[in-house]
Amino acid sequence: MARIIAGVTSSHVPAIGAAIDNHRTNEPYWQRVFEGFERSKEWIAKAKPDVVIGVYNDHASAFSVEVIPTFALGTAAEFPPADEGWGPRPVPVVQGHPELASHIAQSVILDEFDLTLCNKMEVDHGLTVPLNLMFGTPKEWPCPVIPLAVNVVQYPPPTGHRCFMLGKAIRKAVESYPEDLKVVIFGTGGMSHQISGQRAGLINSKFDHAFLDNLTKDPKKLTKLSHLELMREAGAEGVEMVMWLIMRGALDDKVDEVYRFYTVPASNTAVGHIILENKIKGGKKTSAKPASTKSASRGKKSAPKMKRAAARQKIERVRS
Amino acid sequence: MARIIAGVTSSHVPAIGAAIDNHRTNEPYWQRVFEGFERSKEWIAKAKPDVVIGVYNDHASAFSVEVIPTFALGTAAEFPPADEGWGPRPVPVVQGHPELASHIAQSVILDEFDLTLCNKMEVDHGLTVPLNLMFGTPKEWPCPVIPLAVNVVQYPPPTGHRCFMLGKAIRKAVESYPEDLKVVIFGTGGMSHQISGQRAGLINSKFDHAFLDNLTKDPKKLTKLSHLELMREAGAEGVEMVMWLIMRGALDDKVDEVYRFYTVPASNTAVGHIILENKIKGGKKTSAKPASTKSASRGKKSAPKMKRAAARQKIERVRS
Amino acid sequence: MATAKTRVEKDYDDIPGTYVFDADRSRRGYHLNMFCMSLMKAENRKAFKADEAKYLDERFPLLTREQREAILKRQYNRMLELGGNIYFTAKLGATDGHPFQHLAAVMTGSTQQDYADLMLRGGRPVDGNRSRSGKYARAASSIVKDSKPKQKASKGKKRRG
Amino acid sequence: MATAKTRVEKDYDDIPGTYVFDADRSRRGYHLNMFCMSLMKAENRKAFKADEAKYLDERFPLLTREQREAILKRQYNRMLELGGNIYFTAKLGATDGHPFQHLAAVMTGSTQQDYADLMLRGGRPVDGNRSRSGKYARAASSIVKDSKPKQKASKGKKRRG
Ligand SMILES: [Fe+3]
Ligand SMILES: [Fe+3]
């Protein structure tokens, strides 16, 4: 039986991708961001997922205003990086998992989610940046990835509640797949940001921290946020945080928050990142804890600690 | 306030379109089919809808196996007829109603239906044949049509229950639209038929009649039919009858069946057609009854009667 | 609704003479169906007719050998087995200028006239065509009332449907 | 969730400096956004740069006069007003070789340096930027605990978020 062992959220700021592609990750501005993911890379190397389900949104790359799917699940064998205006990102082609993806599609549609299935789809920074943040820049991604693209471009996106329920349906689908597979689900986008209009540049860290706290402990509260409140508090484009709730819905009600990182800014955006593990099942822990060794401190800034208090201290420092 | 005054179901057999396009409607074989819609044309001329919502499925015309939306709502200003292999059907371009369609999209997505919106879409015989059956062959369709394409090509289609609930959500959306508009909703496809494999040619009139009976009186029973039962009893392609439940969900719980017609065969398919009106509201009837005058009898076959018993008698005659 | 369990088992495989176009078939038949879709353009139909094998080899090199053969031999059931869907394969029949009932006759192992006559007689009956395993052979549908008599049947009028 | 009533009223129009890209804007901006999308191909970027007005007139004749002018003058807020979406209009900025923060500076009436500094200082604060009508000016979010003290606050540690 396949099972979802953990969920990861991460912003997918395009400038992070540009920093990687242009080898600028050692600039202090970007170091601050990438250091926040050092421990996460160790964690995922230990967790070794067999498949990643990547929840993200397309940014007018694969989908224009001609066809706008609310939920588009990638059932293809591979997903090339999209040309977002400067040629495709120099990242590996994303290999899909057509069998599991089709199984999820079938199960979730019979559970009354109205998916659009994509047997041909290019994927943009929304999916590939989080893969870089978690896996670095390998020649090939270490495991297949099933993309799930969510419309957050044209209002209205699906409600947070709908997203949460889709997560639950995905989990049920995964657990009815006969092969033994460890699955990690990524929710991407956010955190607070607005990149359009006179209010561009908006950041609301108070809101972001509350969102992170509730994501771990009381996600149902987040499912009650209206789009209006999300846009008002977290920016017009911050509404993409509804996607995190798909990830959260796919996990246990009670989870272990094993890592958190938050920094402002990356380009125009507050970067938020959290790793949530399902609790012990059948006597054994579902996945590895992040290693507490090795991750070197660089310069003034220490590598982020796993404890939340420490992580917050760091945030404080970064923002001051 | 806009309101849905009635629902119509109709098969959308491509050969019916070919018979129209090739001027063969007077051949006895086709006369039998077209006569069944004479009263319906009179009915709709009296009902004068301001907008039609046309629930249908695409048959590998607008959508291939690259992108498969479960529910695709047409929000464009117009929808040209698709080239299904012999050039587009010589029928008028379908004019949409972008404002109402967008309003429905927004309302229904916030009600947690995961639509795909299409601002560019060609429409095939699935939509245009029922328009011909109801409106004849005018130079322009008499009113705007909002297409709603449902996946019934790749298994699984949405469940009948999901379709029924979508109908309810569409009704709610229509009723929150500020302009006074009379809307008629078409559910198309069916009835029993299988056009693939060694079982091609399957017809199950008993099932079809039971489906029609329940459609009027007890549609919730139909929402419990599994796809397996639908395919077994009504043919692999007969599963498209789930679309009729979208129409039915958009109507009152109790409706007046004002017309019914059933005949076998049209090409490979059992043709079923029913008109259901919402009951009197606010003191006045929501729409016109079909005229009981004028419709001429031709040759041996009398024009179908409104009464079901009579309609069935006719069916008996037609099939014998 | 099918349960997760029966979904994995594909309950619908019990229906005889039927190839339900599910995700597995869709994946298997992707290039076959995309080939059929290409025939929606007049110029492609022309190129295909001019040299069928060349058209397939050049434009759809990912077709399997079996699919390629089934296309060239117009084996319509075999195409369904190999992941084809009837709405797609029908475009191949149309390219050949065949009416749909020709394809139906091929698929049912009949002549076109016999198939047409079958339809005029009311089509292929469902009795005897429900179930490979025989499990559902006698069962009628849950909505067909005369197979499950109810109190309402006492209305006097026997229900036909 | 917004109710039907508030949806028609567009509750989100109360958010200052914000153009929510809803179906009405999407419809209005269809050709503007499709123009921007066309810039994803190198050959189109080249053709556009060679003669902007000609490119627009020949390939996107259905742009309104206002949209055409906003494009030519790079009026990024005006484009949003006229139905543009930022993910689309950003492709125009990219075609010009501008970093995104240039567009942000244009939209916020700032210099690129001032905008960058604003972001480094932690971004534009939400206080004072919630509401045109003032109705929500002081309200914080329902999830931010320190704006709505609860019993749990007695835990001792003051919540930051
Ligand atoms: Fe994004
Ligand atoms: Fe059909």
Side-chain angles (χ1 to χ4, degrees), chain D residues 123-139:
Chain D
R124 186 181 310 284
V126 70
D127 289 329
N129 284 308
R130 282 192 174 88
S131 176
R132 276 185 219 276
S133 66
K135 197 174 158 193
Y136 298 96
R138 281 159 178 279

PDB file of all heavy atoms in Angstrom, chain D residues 123-139:
ATOM      1  N   GLY D 123       8.762  44.956   3.546  1.00  0.00           N
ATOM      2  CA  GLY D 123       7.604  45.088   2.663  1.00  0.00           C
ATOM      3  C   GLY D 123       6.617  46.153   3.096  1.00  0.00           C
ATOM      4  O   GLY D 123       6.787  46.808   4.146  1.00  0.00           O
ATOM      5  N   ARG D 124       5.614  46.331   2.293  1.00  0.00           N
ATOM      6  CA  ARG D 124       4.557  47.306   2.566  1.00  0.00           C
ATOM      7  C   ARG D 124       3.690  46.774   3.697  1.00  0.00           C
ATOM      8  O   ARG D 124       3.215  45.635   3.625  1.00  0.00           O
ATOM      9  CB  ARG D 124       3.724  47.501   1.295  1.00  0.00           C
ATOM     10  CG  ARG D 124       2.659  48.599   1.360  1.00  0.00           C
ATOM     11  CD  ARG D 124       1.878  48.678   0.029  1.00  0.00           C
ATOM     12  NE  ARG D 124       2.761  48.752  -1.124  1.00  0.00           N
ATOM     13  CZ  ARG D 124       3.424  49.850  -1.492  1.00  0.00           C
ATOM     14  NH1 ARG D 124       3.272  50.983  -0.820  1.00  0.00           N
ATOM     15  NH2 ARG D 124       4.220  49.811  -2.541  1.00  0.00           N
ATOM     16  N   PRO D 125       3.481  47.565   4.726  1.00  0.00           N
ATOM     17  CA  PRO D 125       2.675  47.053   5.850  1.00  0.00           C
ATOM     18  C   PRO D 125       1.210  46.914   5.470  1.00  0.00           C
ATOM     19  O   PRO D 125       0.712  47.649   4.617  1.00  0.00           O
ATOM     20  CB  PRO D 125       2.851  48.113   6.926  1.00  0.00           C
ATOM     21  CG  PRO D 125       3.218  49.355   6.201  1.00  0.00           C
ATOM     22  CD  PRO D 125       3.960  48.938   4.959  1.00  0.00           C
ATOM     23  N   VAL D 126       0.531  45.969   6.086  1.00  0.00           N
ATOM     24  CA  VAL D 126      -0.892  45.792   5.792  1.00  0.00           C
ATOM     25  C   VAL D 126      -1.717  46.858   6.514  1.00  0.00           C
ATOM     26  O   VAL D 126      -2.766  47.276   6.023  1.00  0.00           O
ATOM     27  CB  VAL D 126      -1.354  44.359   6.137  1.00  0.00           C
ATOM     28  CG1 VAL D 126      -1.369  44.124   7.640  1.00  0.00           C
ATOM     29  CG2 VAL D 126      -2.691  44.041   5.507  1.00  0.00           C
ATOM     30  N   ASP D 127      -1.233  47.293   7.667  1.00  0.00           N
ATOM     31  CA  ASP D 127      -1.996  48.321   8.386  1.00  0.00           C
ATOM     32  C   ASP D 127      -2.053  49.575   7.522  1.00  0.00           C
ATOM     33  O   ASP D 127      -1.036  50.057   7.031  1.00  0.00           O
ATOM     34  CB  ASP D 127      -1.341  48.639   9.735  1.00  0.00           C
ATOM     35  CG  ASP D 127      -1.505  47.475  10.716  1.00  0.00           C
ATOM     36  OD1 ASP D 127      -2.522  46.761  10.618  1.00  0.00           O
ATOM     37  OD2 ASP D 127      -0.597  47.268  11.544  1.00  0.00           O
ATOM     38  N   GLY D 128      -3.242  50.071   7.346  1.00  0.00           N
ATOM     39  CA  GLY D 128      -3.409  51.231   6.487  1.00  0.00           C
ATOM     40  C   GLY D 128      -3.628  50.857   5.030  1.00  0.00           C
ATOM     41  O   GLY D 128      -3.888  51.738   4.199  1.00  0.00           O
ATOM     42  N   ASN D 129      -3.500  49.575   4.709  1.00  0.00           N
ATOM     43  CA  ASN D 129      -3.662  49.151   3.311  1.00  0.00           C
ATOM     44  C   ASN D 129      -4.714  48.066   3.147  1.00  0.00           C
ATOM     45  O   ASN D 129      -4.676  47.299   2.198  1.00  0.00           O
ATOM     46  CB  ASN D 129      -2.318  48.640   2.772  1.00  0.00           C
ATOM     47  CG  ASN D 129      -1.367  49.784   2.466  1.00  0.00           C
ATOM     48  OD1 ASN D 129      -1.727  50.718   1.752  1.00  0.00           O
ATOM     49  ND2 ASN D 129      -0.181  49.740   3.048  1.00  0.00           N
ATOM     50  N   ARG D 130      -5.631  48.033   4.118  1.00  0.00           N
ATOM     51  CA  ARG D 130      -6.631  46.968   4.069  1.00  0.00           C
ATOM     52  C   ARG D 130      -7.882  47.323   3.286  1.00  0.00           C
ATOM     53  O   ARG D 130      -8.504  46.463   2.677  1.00  0.00           O
ATOM     54  CB  ARG D 130      -7.071  46.598   5.487  1.00  0.00           C
ATOM     55  CG  ARG D 130      -6.110  45.718   6.235  1.00  0.00           C
ATOM     56  CD  ARG D 130      -6.750  45.178   7.489  1.00  0.00           C
ATOM     57  NE  ARG D 130      -5.867  44.228   8.132  1.00  0.00           N
ATOM     58  CZ  ARG D 130      -4.931  44.551   9.023  1.00  0.00           C
ATOM     59  NH1 ARG D 130      -4.774  45.810   9.383  1.00  0.00           N
ATOM     60  NH2 ARG D 130      -4.150  43.622   9.530  1.00  0.00           N
ATOM     61  N   SER D 131      -8.268  48.578   3.351  1.00  0.00           N
ATOM     62  CA  SER D 131      -9.654  48.891   3.012  1.00  0.00           C
ATOM     63  C   SER D 131      -9.785  50.309   2.467  1.00  0.00           C
ATOM     64  O   SER D 131      -9.298  51.258   3.072  1.00  0.00           O
ATOM     65  CB  SER D 131     -10.484  48.742   4.293  1.00  0.00           C
ATOM     66  OG  SER D 131     -11.809  49.104   4.109  1.00  0.00           O
ATOM     67  N   ARG D 132     -10.438  50.397   1.317  1.00  0.00           N
ATOM     68  CA  ARG D 132     -10.754  51.726   0.773  1.00  0.00           C
ATOM     69  C   ARG D 132     -11.789  52.416   1.637  1.00  0.00           C
ATOM     70  O   ARG D 132     -11.707  53.595   1.920  1.00  0.00           O
ATOM     71  CB  ARG D 132     -11.404  51.585  -0.607  1.00  0.00           C
ATOM     72  CG  ARG D 132     -10.465  51.447  -1.752  1.00  0.00           C
ATOM     73  CD  ARG D 132     -11.309  51.446  -3.037  1.00  0.00           C
ATOM     74  NE  ARG D 132     -10.792  50.498  -4.002  1.00  0.00           N
ATOM     75  CZ  ARG D 132      -9.799  50.762  -4.846  1.00  0.00           C
ATOM     76  NH1 ARG D 132      -9.217  51.949  -4.848  1.00  0.00           N
ATOM     77  NH2 ARG D 132      -9.380  49.861  -5.693  1.00  0.00           N
ATOM     78  N   SER D 133     -12.828  51.686   2.001  1.00  0.00           N
ATOM     79  CA  SER D 133     -13.954  52.271   2.710  1.00  0.00           C
ATOM     80  C   SER D 133     -13.594  52.568   4.155  1.00  0.00           C
ATOM     81  O   SER D 133     -14.295  53.294   4.831  1.00  0.00           O
ATOM     82  CB  SER D 133     -15.136  51.308   2.681  1.00  0.00           C
ATOM     83  OG  SER D 133     -14.794  50.144   3.433  1.00  0.00           O
ATOM     84  N   GLY D 134     -12.510  51.996   4.643  1.00  0.00           N
ATOM     85  CA  GLY D 134     -12.161  52.156   6.049  1.00  0.00           C
ATOM     86  C   GLY D 134     -12.828  51.109   6.918  1.00  0.00           C
ATOM     87  O   GLY D 134     -12.510  50.950   8.092  1.00  0.00           O
ATOM     88  N   LYS D 135     -13.728  50.345   6.322  1.00  0.00           N
ATOM     89  CA  LYS D 135     -14.513  49.385   7.084  1.00  0.00           C
ATOM     90  C   LYS D 135     -13.622  48.344   7.778  1.00  0.00           C
ATOM     91  O   LYS D 135     -13.906  47.905   8.884  1.00  0.00           O
ATOM     92  CB  LYS D 135     -15.463  48.688   6.112  1.00  0.00           C
ATOM     93  CG  LYS D 135     -16.611  47.966   6.765  1.00  0.00           C
ATOM     94  CD  LYS D 135     -17.566  47.442   5.691  1.00  0.00           C
ATOM     95  CE  LYS D 135     -18.400  46.290   6.230  1.00  0.00           C
ATOM     96  NZ  LYS D 135     -19.106  45.553   5.170  1.00  0.00           N
ATOM     97  N   TYR D 136     -12.588  47.930   7.057  1.00  0.00           N
ATOM     98  CA  TYR D 136     -11.711  46.907   7.606  1.00  0.00           C
ATOM     99  C   TYR D 136     -10.368  47.466   8.039  1.00  0.00           C
ATOM    100  O   TYR D 136      -9.431  46.730   8.276  1.00  0.00           O
ATOM    101  CB  TYR D 136     -11.459  45.811   6.565  1.00  0.00           C
ATOM    102  CG  TYR D 136     -12.703  45.100   6.148  1.00  0.00           C
ATOM    103  CD1 TYR D 136     -13.376  45.485   4.999  1.00  0.00           C
ATOM    104  CD2 TYR D 136     -13.207  44.062   6.921  1.00  0.00           C
ATOM    105  CE1 TYR D 136     -14.530  44.836   4.616  1.00  0.00           C
ATOM    106  CE2 TYR D 136     -14.362  43.408   6.544  1.00  0.00           C
ATOM    107  CZ  TYR D 136     -15.023  43.802   5.390  1.00  0.00           C
ATOM    108  OH  TYR D 136     -16.158  43.161   5.010  1.00  0.00           O
ATOM    109  N   ALA D 137     -10.276  48.787   8.109  1.00  0.00           N
ATOM    110  CA  ALA D 137      -8.973  49.419   8.301  1.00  0.00           C
ATOM    111  C   ALA D 137      -8.260  48.878   9.536  1.00  0.00           C
ATOM    112  O   ALA D 137      -7.063  48.644   9.532  1.00  0.00           O
ATOM    113  CB  ALA D 137      -9.145  50.920   8.404  1.00  0.00           C
ATOM    114  N   ARG D 138      -9.021  48.660  10.613  1.00  0.00           N
ATOM    115  CA  ARG D 138      -8.391  48.258  11.863  1.00  0.00           C
ATOM    116  C   ARG D 138      -8.468  46.756  12.093  1.00  0.00           C
ATOM    117  O   ARG D 138      -7.740  46.222  12.917  1.00  0.00           O
ATOM    118  CB  ARG D 138      -9.061  48.970  13.043  1.00  0.00           C
ATOM    119  CG  ARG D 138      -8.573  50.392  13.167  1.00  0.00           C
ATOM    120  CD  ARG D 138      -9.526  51.260  13.952  1.00  0.00           C
ATOM    121  NE  ARG D 138      -8.926  52.595  14.059  1.00  0.00           N
ATOM    122  CZ  ARG D 138      -7.986  52.924  14.948  1.00  0.00           C
ATOM    123  NH1 ARG D 138      -7.547  52.038  15.827  1.00  0.00           N
ATOM    124  NH2 ARG D 138      -7.479  54.146  14.975  1.00  0.00           N
ATOM    125  N   ALA D 139      -9.354  46.112  11.383  1.00  0.00           N
ATOM    126  CA  ALA D 139      -9.522  44.685  11.608  1.00  0.00           C
ATOM    127  C   ALA D 139      -8.273  43.949  11.185  1.00  0.00           C
ATOM    128  O   ALA D 139      -7.727  44.209  10.127  1.00  0.00           O
ATOM    129  CB  ALA D 139     -10.701  44.172  10.797  1.00  0.00           C
TER     130      ALA D 139
END
